[in-house]
């Protein structure tokens, strides 16, 4: 890879950036809603990865017109429609679980939930 | 007329039945439908396995689109065996489920429970049957989403089920996304998603950095799904707080199916010729498997909740399966596939016994087990036999698995590993022995009067326990199928 290739790979740089940002949010945030947001960013990066690989510069939509044309590959785009559906279901289910956790614990902060669980199990506050 | 469409029916029947369960609205009707569907799935799986063993590989073109353009369902001995495990456990479990679900989950949620259960079954069967890498991802997510819901249904008994389901959701989604990144990278260089086509084209590519990166993403993604140590953190809580029926089902099937998916990618798609793979097997899988076997077994010894103890034991047992594949020879692979089946019998039986204890006592903590040997003799006898099988006493299935595993280790020239396998069995003696000691030698807590669990729960449990002994004495059927499956995987297309 030469220096000149780097701007041409612009899409992939964005993919990697979003992927790392998303994963970092999931790991670093204690708020459960923010974790879900991180997960969504992470999944979106994969959508971009697939869509970018199907695109051909100068290619059109794959519609049969009879004239010889260059088409983009439609398959990755279709795959990503499926993956978007999976992503939305996961997000919806995750948020629904956060609502239930909020009802049961009265908080959606990870450390406070851990504290509540500890107190319920051992009957006293956590000793450091 | 119907026979050529069996591969499609295997998936379509439970998939269509799932929303019907929801429409029935009554828990008992939904249960009846789920029961019938599970038995039908088992019948189809048996017919498919017979067809594969006598007639070779079955290839089913979905919607008549020829592969590699359309989705192909490709069934060889390996996935026919996995289909049998999944549908068999489900068929035995559902008669058990009725009483257990009634006692642990609110009446109004029963039809939702069976809907999610059937979707989970559909996904598991789908992962096993499909010959298309992206299709596998979709089924993996159907299973996972259904499992998150099922685990969260334990919230009526303990609110920690919710946080366990949430953790599982986060880690499971990361795993699935890693998997889909890997599939995408493979598609980028090969232009195909059909597994057999992928295998041919990857072999043609030779050294390729994109393929190596895809390999890494796929291994980590599936590793998260199958709870490969140290990616197992979601598993103990999910198993411990899920309703008993769900624990039995996911412990016996879902990690097994993930192991199968990993086997399929490692051996059919990449193949042993793929250079990174040999390194991964020896320097990643082997140490992680052994570390997992020791660490998880040791943690299991100190658990208070017995469901959690068995969950850690499951992590250790998954170590055995990964160890078998890390040898990279047919015997090791046979041990892995054999242990998929045997471990489903062992853990299915053990978790069913704990389900009976929860049904009568309300909890499965070690304190609650005191004196149960006299108050629930049949349940505890089943637990003891299942436990012996887990340890690997001769005449049980656990012994057969370990026998093949040790043979595989010696064949690979790693005899110290064989010693370690025996050593971890001793750890299993400790955590199972602890329960037996408490149940038989200590008096029951004052004032607790419990009787044996209902017959509808005892019979399915004993079916699995008797199977533990039957396949431990006459292992010719399971070993020959597992051997055929291993050769099918390692030798490419049979």
């Amino acid at each position: 890879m030469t220096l000149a290739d780097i701007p041409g790979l612009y899409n992939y740089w964005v993919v990697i950036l979003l992927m790392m940002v998303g994963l970092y949010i999931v790991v670093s945030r204690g708020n459960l809603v923010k974790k879900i947001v991180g997960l969504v960013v992470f999944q979106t990066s994969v959508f971009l990865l697939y869509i970018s690989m199907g695109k051909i510069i100068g290619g059109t939509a794959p519609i049969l017109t009879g004239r010889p044309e260059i088409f983009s590959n439609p398959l990755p785009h279709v795959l990503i429609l499926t993956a978007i559906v999976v992503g939305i279901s996961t997000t919806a289910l995750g948020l629904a679980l956060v609502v239930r956790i909020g009802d049961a614990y009265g908080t959606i902060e990870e450390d406070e939930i851990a504290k509540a669980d500890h107190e319920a199990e051992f009957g006293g506050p956590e000793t450091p | 007329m119907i026979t050529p469409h069996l591969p499609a029916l295997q998936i379509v029947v439970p998939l269509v039945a799932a929303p019907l369960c929801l429409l029935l609205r009554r828990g008992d009707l939904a249960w009846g439908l789920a029961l019938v569907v599970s038995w039908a799935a088992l019948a189809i799986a048996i017919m498919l396995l017979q067809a594969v063993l006598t007639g070779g590989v079955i290839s089913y073109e979905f919607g008549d689109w020829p592969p590699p353009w359309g989705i192909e369902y490709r069934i060889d001995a390996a996935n026919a065996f996995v289909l049998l495990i999944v549908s068999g456990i489900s068929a035995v479990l559902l008669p058990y489920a009725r009483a257990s679900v009634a006692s642990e989950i609110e009446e109004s949620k029963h039809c939702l429970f069976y809907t999610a259960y059937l979707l989970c079954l559909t996904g598991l069967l789908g992962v096993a049957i499909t010959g298309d890498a992206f299709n596998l991802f979709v089924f993996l997510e159907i299973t996972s989403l259904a499992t998150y819901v099922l685990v969260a249904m334990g919230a009526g008994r303990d609110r920690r089920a919710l946080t366990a389901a949430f953790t599982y959701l986060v880690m499971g989604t990361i795993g699935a996304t890693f998997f889909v990144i890997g599939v995408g990278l493979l598609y980028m260089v090969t232009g195909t998603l059909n597994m057999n086509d992928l295998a041919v084209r990857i072999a043609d590519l030779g050294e390729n950095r994109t393929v190596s990166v895809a390999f890494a993403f796929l291994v980590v993604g599936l590793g998260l799904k199958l709870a490969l140590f140290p990616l197992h953190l979601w598993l103990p809580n999910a198993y411990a707080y899920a309703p008993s029926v769900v624990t039995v089902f996911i412990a016996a099937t879902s990690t097994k199916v993930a192991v199968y998916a990993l086997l399929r990618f490692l051996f059919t798609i990449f193949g042993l010729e793929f250079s990174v793979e040999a390194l991964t097997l020896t320097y990643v899988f082997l140490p992680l498997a052994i570390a997992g076997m020791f660490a998880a077994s040791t943690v299991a010894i100190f658990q208070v909740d017995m469901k959690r103890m068995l969950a850690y034991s499951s992590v250790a047992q998954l170590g055995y399966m990964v160890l078998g594949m890390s040898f990279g020879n047919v015997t090791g692979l046979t041990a892995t596939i054999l242990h998929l089946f045997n471990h489903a019998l062992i853990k299915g039986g053990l978790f069913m016994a704990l389900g009976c204890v929860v049904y009568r006592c309300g909890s499965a903590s070690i304190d609650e087990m005191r004196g149960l040997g006299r108050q629930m003799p049949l349940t505890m006898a089943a637990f003891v036999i299942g436990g012996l099988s887990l340890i690997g006493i001769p005449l049980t299935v656990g012994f057969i698995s370990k026998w093949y595993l040790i043979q595989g280790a010696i064949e690979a020239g790693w005899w110290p590993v064989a010693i370690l396998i025996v050593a971890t069995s001793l750890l299993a003696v400790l955590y199972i022995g602890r329960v037996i000691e408490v149940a038989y030698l200590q008096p029951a807590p004052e004032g607790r009067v419990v009787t044996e669990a209902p017959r509808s729960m005892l019979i399915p449990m004993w079916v699995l326990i008797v199977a533990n002994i039957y396949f431990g004495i006459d292992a010719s059927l399971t070993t020959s199928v597992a051997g055929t499956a291993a050769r099918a995987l390692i030798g490419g297309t049979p």
Side-chain angles (χ1 to χ4, degrees):
Chain A
M1 191 170 79
T2 61
L3 216 57
D5 288 336
I6 290 175
L9 295 171
Y10 174 72
N11 279 18
Y12 295 99
W13 289 111
V14 174
V15 167
I16 292 170
L17 184 75
L18 282 178
M19 208 178 268
M20 293 306 123
V21 168
L23 211 50
Y24 179 74
I25 296 173
V26 175
V27 177
S28 66
R29 295 292 116 174
N31 185 302
L32 301 185
V33 173
K34 288 183 182 167
K35 271 185 193 290
I36 295 287
V37 171
L39 216 52
V40 172
V41 173
F42 180 52
Q43 288 181 312
T44 309
S45 74
V46 184
F47 304 162
L48 276 181
L49 172 74
Y50 270 73
I51 293 167
S52 306
M53 76 170 88
K55 174 67 184 166
I56 293 172
I57 293 170
T60 63
I63 301 166
L64 276 180
T65 54
R67 278 168 285 143
E69 278 177 286
I70 304 168
F71 303 125
S72 289
N73 184 351
L75 185 70
H77 301 175
V78 177
L79 294 179
I80 270 336
L81 277 180
T82 317
I84 288 172
V85 174
V86 171
I88 288 174
S89 327
T90 313
T91 313
L93 181 58
L95 290 175
L97 277 172
V98 175
V99 171
R100 290 286 310 275
I101 290 173
D103 284 347
Y105 285 84
T107 175
I108 54 166
E109 294 292 332
E110 206 175 28
D111 46 352
E112 289 173 22
I113 292 170
K115 217 164 88 189
D117 275 345
H118 188 88
E119 282 178 14
E121 196 168 349
F122 301 104
E126 208 166 350
T127 44
Chain B
M1 187 197 91
I2 207 164
T3 324
H5 294 293
L6 283 178
L9 287 173
Q10 179 86 83
I11 304 304
V12 171
V13 170
L15 184 62
V16 171
L20 286 181
C21 264
L22 197 59
L23 292 175
L24 286 173
R25 301 199 65 86
R26 277 184 47 194
D28 46 353
L29 291 178
W31 170 77
L33 182 65
L35 182 73
V36 172
V37 166
S38 281
W39 284 354
L42 176 62
I44 296 171
I46 291 172
M47 283 192 269
L48 283 175
L49 182 63
Q50 272 179 340
V52 167
L53 289 181
T54 51
V57 176
I58 300 173
S59 167
Y60 182 84
E61 297 163 4
F62 233 85
D64 261 345
W65 289 89
W69 292 282
I71 289 173
E72 182 194 17
Y73 279 6
R74 194 177 178 82
I75 307 159
D76 60 16
N79 47 6
F81 196 46
V82 176
L83 290 174
L84 181 75
I85 296 171
V86 173
S87 55
I89 289 290
S90 175
V92 177
L93 178 61
L94 270 165
Y96 175 97
R98 191 174 188 188
S100 183
V101 168
S103 81
E104 289 180 31
I105 296 169
E106 295 165 43
E107 176 78 40
S108 60
K109 287 185 187 153
H110 284 183
C111 62
L112 291 170
F113 176 88
Y114 291 110
T115 307
Y117 179 92
L118 283 179
L119 282 175
C120 187
L121 177 66
T122 309
L124 292 169
L125 293 170
V127 172
I129 205 169
T130 188
D132 184 278
F134 198 84
N135 198 224
L136 196 149
F137 160 73
V138 175
F139 278 123
L140 204 58
E141 278 312 81
I142 292 178
T143 311
S144 303
L145 286 166
T147 313
Y148 309 148
V149 174
L150 290 171
V151 170
M153 285 205 180
R157 207 166 62 85
D158 192 325
R159 64 178 179 179
R160 277 173 290 186
L162 295 170
T163 42
F166 187 83
T167 315
Y168 188 10
L169 180 132
V170 169
M171 295 189 75
T173 306
I174 293 174
T177 311
F178 267 58
F179 178 81
V180 88
I181 294 170
V183 171
L185 292 172
L186 283 183
Y187 181 76
M188 212 182 228
V189 284
T190 59
T192 181
L193 291 166
N194 183 284
M195 289 182 185
N196 273 49
D197 215 27
L198 273 174
V200 175
R201 297 197 189 187
I202 287 172
D204 290 347
L205 278 172
E207 284 298 310
N208 184 308
R209 191 182 290 169
T210 310
V211 176
S212 304
V213 173
F215 179 80
F217 271 110
L218 288 168
V219 166
V220 175
L222 287 172
L224 263 166
K225 287 282 183 193
L226 73 83
L228 171 66
F229 181 85
L231 304 173
H232 67 277
L233 294 172
W234 57 267
L235 188 143
N237 277 349
Y239 280 20
Y241 302 123
S244 303
V245 172
V246 177
T247 310
V248 176
F249 191 58
I250 59 178
T253 58
S254 80
T255 44
K256 311 289 172 298
V257 166
V259 171
Y260 157 77
L262 185 61
L263 284 174
R264 187 56 87 191
F265 270 89
L266 286 180
F267 294 100
T268 304
I269 295 182
F270 288 99
L272 284 172
E273 304 80 41
F274 184 62
S275 58
V276 185
E277 177 164 328
L279 291 174
T280 310
L281 289 179
T282 315
Y283 294 109
V284 179
F285 281 4
L286 181 73
L288 286 184
I290 292 174
M293 281 152 52
F294 275 97
S297 300
T298 312
V299 176
I301 297 172
F302 299 101
Q303 292 307 309
V304 178
D305 184 347
M306 294 299 100
K307 275 172 92 174
R308 220 180 145 84
M309 175 193 87
L310 288 185
Y312 275 107
S313 148
S314 276
V315 177
Q317 299 286 321
L318 285 160
Y320 288 123
M321 293 174 210
V322 175
L323 186 67
M325 58 175 108
S326 74
F327 298 147
N329 59 30
V330 174
T331 319
L333 215 52
T334 307
T336 299
I337 297 167
L338 203 54
H339 202 48
L340 291 181
F341 179 80
N342 292 347
H343 184 244
L345 293 182
I346 298 170
K347 274 288 151 59
L350 283 174
F351 273 122
M352 275 187 182
L354 288 186
C356 291
V357 173
V358 172
Y359 182 81
R360 282 299 184 209
C361 306
S363 129
S365 69
I366 187 92
D367 283 336
E368 208 63 62
M369 308 292 279
R370 279 181 295 162
L372 270 188
R374 281 176 300 278
Q375 291 185 319
M376 297 175 78
L378 285 171
T379 306
M380 288 318 293
F383 189 90
V384 170
I385 298 174
L388 293 178
S389 188
L390 187 70
I391 296 163
I393 302 291
L395 300 184
T396 60
V397 286
F399 176 73
I400 310 282
S401 303
K402 285 198 178 130
W403 178 256
Y404 273 86
L405 204 55
I406 290 170
Q407 274 193 328
I410 292 168
E411 209 173 284
W414 293 337
W415 58 267
V417 175
I419 295 171
L420 291 176
I421 295 169
V422 179
T424 55
S425 302
L426 294 178
L427 291 174
V429 173
L430 283 178
Y431 60 74
I432 292 295
R434 197 167 66 116
V435 181
I436 296 176
E437 193 258 345
V438 167
Y440 284 92
L441 301 180
Q442 290 194 14
E446 288 282 326
R448 187 191 67 187
V449 184
V450 291
T451 49
E452 199 50 85
R455 222 168 280 151
S456 69
M457 292 171 83
L458 287 177
I459 294 171
M461 176 175 74
W462 274 97
V463 166
L464 286 188
I465 295 298
V466 169
N468 263 300
I469 298 172
Y470 176 80
F471 288 110
I473 294 170
D474 178 16
S476 54
L477 177 72
T478 49
T479 49
S480 75
V481 175
T484 317
R487 280 189 295 277
L489 281 170
I490 220 162
T493 42

